[in-house]
Amino acid sequence: FGLSCFSGLSGLSPPSAPAFHRESGLGKSTLINSLFLTDLYSPEYPGPSHRIKKTVQVEQSKVLIKEGGVQLLLTIVDTPGFGDAVDNSNCWQPVIDHIDSKFEDYLNAESRVNRRQMPDSRVHCCLYFIAPSGHGLKPLDIEFMKRLHEKVNIIPLIAKADTLTPEECQQFKKQIMREIQEHKIKIYEFPETDDEEESKLVKKIKDRLPLAVVGSNTIIEVNGKRVRGRQYPWGVAEVENGEHCDFTILRNMLIRTHMQDLKDVTNNVHYENYRSRKLAAVTYNGVDNNKNKGQLTK
């Protein structure tokens, strides 16, 4: 997921990816490291802020991690620093092009005679970071999500949530969800279920959207326990404490409870829409109809 795809090995389904999107400086790299309880960015492959001053292109890297004794291949798609430029026109295009290119790769693999080995590098989830301003969504946030919501599962996150008081965070969440509905932005729809326990879990996650997250790679001792967190004069913001942020909800959702559904929705909805549009644009003799159409007729 930018979150950008997760992949499952050892008997699990093919690779999947989360993508992480938002302007530089909102803690994307820190959250990635915190989510998987390891330093995915190594001295050989440091985080974007250590390589260049700004993330200026879509970059992809793969890391093998273990979760509950099962190996998972995590594909991280890191994205440009949206909102960092003076002119942000079409700043979402590199992301759209990347998602479409992965759909195209999969479509080409499906068309081969031998389809036994079909690597799945499609982006299965987009973690969209919202700056903790307390003032709702920026026009760029709205436009970016609307450009992507037909192509990928979007999960909105409030970045660096420890900069907000609990009351401010709750009000900010309500405001963001209200604006998402007003602008008809389609975020990831959690599946309906008849199972009472699963239904409670889904309701809990929905009630917490957008998820407020805090990332940290620092181990701090609190009441004799070693925890990941951030030290402040007033106390410690614990990454894995549900009363402090929604980090644990996000991690469990991505890796344990909803990974397969994210992959299913990607395959059955977003990819099928891409595939249908692509095939509809090609006539019986292989000519792309879009090349002969004017801008208004596309």
Side-chain angles (χ1 to χ4, degrees):
F1 291 146
L3 193 207
S4 36
C5 296
F6 287 111
S7 55
L9 301 180
S10 301
L12 294 181
S13 46
S16 56
F20 302 92
H21 303 298
R22 197 55 188 101
E23 64 200 45
S24 298
L26 286 185
K28 297 190 296 292
S29 299
T30 303
L31 184 74
I32 293 169
N33 285 343
S34 302
L35 274 173
F36 306 103
L37 304 178
T38 184
D39 291 330
L40 300 185
Y41 287 114
S42 64
E44 293 76 25
Y45 186 76
S49 60
H50 296 289
R51 294 198 301 273
I52 46 180
K53 290 184 179 179
K54 294 291 182 185
T55 314
V56 295
Q57 61 185 8
V58 177
E59 297 183 349
Q60 182 172 299
S61 58
K62 296 177 185 293
V63 179
L64 190 64
I65 64 171
K66 284 189 177 181
E67 176 64 28
V70 178
Q71 288 184 321
L72 299 173
L73 182 62
L74 171 68
T75 305
I76 303 164
V77 177
D78 201 5
T79 56
F82 299 103
D84 292 342
V86 175
D87 182 3
N88 292 305
S89 303
N90 297 320
C91 64
W92 46 77
Q93 199 57 49
V95 182
I96 291 175
D97 291 344
H98 179 81
I99 293 172
D100 283 348
S101 72
K102 297 307 174 184
F103 282 154
E104 184 69 20
D105 290 345
Y106 197 80
L107 181 61
N108 291 335
E110 275 192 327
S111 305
R112 296 193 189 110
V113 175
N114 183 2
R115 296 189 295 177
R116 287 184 182 177
Q117 291 204 356
M118 285 178 53
D120 185 359
S121 60
R122 295 172 293 182
V123 179
H124 298 88
C125 180
C126 164
L127 300 183
Y128 189 80
F129 286 65
I130 299 165
S133 65
H135 301 300
L137 296 172
K138 297 177 183 178
L140 181 59
D141 294 328
I142 295 166
E143 188 63 27
F144 180 84
M145 286 193 279
K146 288 181 81 169
R147 295 277 179 164
L148 256 75
H149 66 182
E150 299 283 5
K151 294 178 177 291
V152 67
N153 299 309
I154 296 177
I155 298 175
L157 305 178
I158 297 174
K160 296 185 175 179
D162 50 332
T163 60
L164 300 170
T165 66
E167 294 76 19
E168 288 172 339
C169 191
Q170 287 307 311
Q171 288 302 316
F172 193 36
K173 284 187 174 194
K174 290 176 182 177
Q175 185 176 356
I176 290 171
M177 290 309 293
R178 187 165 59 246
E179 292 182 19
I180 282 175
Q181 290 167 2
E182 285 174 1
H183 293 282
K184 296 180 171 59
I185 296 169
K186 301 173 187 174
I187 59 175
Y188 172 60
E189 281 285 333
F190 290 87
E192 297 293 330
T193 176
D194 295 328
D195 185 279
E196 190 174 342
E197 288 301 315
E198 286 185 24
S199 186
K200 285 181 182 177
L201 174 64
V202 168
K203 185 179 185 307
K204 180 182 177 183
I205 299 174
K206 282 184 174 180
D207 290 344
R208 302 288 286 264
L209 289 175
L211 299 179
V213 295
V214 177
S216 176
N217 307 322
T218 306
I219 303 296
I220 300 172
E221 191 162 312
V222 179
N223 298 326
K225 286 187 356 184
R226 290 166 60 81
V227 298
R228 287 190 180 227
R230 292 185 176 272
Q231 182 77 58
Y232 293 98
W234 44 262
V236 177
E238 297 177 32
V239 169
E240 295 178 284
N241 187 330
E243 294 181 2
H244 294 187
C245 70
D246 302 324
F247 173 88
T248 305
I249 292 176
L250 174 65
R251 188 174 193 276
N252 288 339
M253 189 203 82
L254 292 178
I255 296 182
R256 295 172 186 164
T257 60
H258 288 83
M259 176 190 276
Q260 189 57 50
D261 187 67
L262 286 165
K263 294 166 80 170
D264 290 343
V265 173
T266 298
N267 186 67
N268 300 333
V269 179
H270 301 304
Y271 171 67
E272 277 304 313
N273 287 340
Y274 173 85
R275 181 175 170 276
S276 298
R277 287 194 301 267
K278 193 74 176 177
L279 296 180
V282 179
T283 61
Y284 65 92
N285 61 356
V287 177
D288 191 336
N289 283 330
N290 281 337
K291 291 181 180 178
N292 302 319
K293 291 183 179 180
Q295 187 65 33
L296 294 177
T297 60
K298 286 185 181 179

